[in-house]
Amino acid sequence: MKPLFNTTLNITKLAMRHISTGIDSWIIQDGNYGDFAVGDLKKFALEFAGEKLTPSTPGERSAQLLHTSVYRVRAEVIFVDSKVWVIDFGLRAFWESEPPAFIQAGSWVEGEVFVGIDPFFYMEYLYKIPDMPNLYYDWKVAAISRDDTPWFSAVNEKGGVTLTRDPARAQWTQVQKTLAWEEGEGRSSYVLECDIGDA
C-alpha cells in the first residue's frame, strides 16, 4: 500500500514542484475555498508557522518532509514587515506573526515549520502591503488525506474543556475529496499533496 506521506522526499530535488500542505475544515467553511478534490486545479498562497526556526548561514534552499505537512527547512527571509514575514525554501510562504529580533530581509533560517494553505490573510489584505512578494502558486491536487486520529478531552488552565487529537493513535485516511461540513462533525483536518500546475 502506498504510504500516505513520503517523508523521504526532498522537494528541493524536485525543483520545488510538490508540497504537502495542511488545511482545516474551518478554512473551507469560511467560504474562501470550496471543498478540494483530487485532480482539482487551484490557486493559493502558502502559510507557515515556525517557532523553532533559528538563524542559519546562506546556502541551498531546502525542505525535507518530516510528517504530514511539517518540514525541516533551510530558507532565506525575503520580506519582513512589523507583523508578517516571508521565507523562501524553494517555495515562498508567509507567517502573519511579529518577526523574531534576529530576522531581517536577506537573513537565513533553518528548523521545523508547519506548511498550510493561506486561510484568507494573504488573499484579503496581506497582498496589499507595499513590496509584499507575489505568493500565489497554481496547484494541482494530487492526493488528499483526512486526519482520523481519535479526539480526547482535556481540562485547560482556566477549567474549560478542550478537544485534542491523541498523537499516540495517529490515523490518516486517503480520500478523494474534502467534506468540510460533513466529516468529523465539521472539525476535520486534511493534508493536500499538491503539484505545481496550471490553474
Side-chain angles (χ1 to χ4, degrees), residues 28-87:
I28 298 170
Q29 293 163 359
D30 269 4
N32 298 302
Y33 306 94
D35 274 305
F36 292 79
V38 173
D40 278 355
L41 299 175
K42 300 282 189 176
K43 182 187 292 287
F44 55 80
L46 298 174
E47 176 188 42
F48 79 94
E51 286 128 350
K52 297 181 180 179
L53 288 175
T54 58
S56 185
T57 54
E60 183 180 358
R61 295 171 179 85
S62 64
Q64 178 74 38
L65 182 62
L66 300 178
H67 59 87
T68 59
S69 54
V70 175
Y71 286 83
R72 177 162 186 82
V73 302
R74 192 160 188 267
E76 182 180 6
V77 179
I78 62 170
F79 177 80
V80 179
D81 190 67
S82 60
K83 294 184 179 178
V84 62
W85 46 300
V86 178
I87 62 173

Side-chain angles (χ1 to χ4, degrees), residues 66 103 118 153:
L66 300 178
I103 292 296
D118 166 37
S153 58

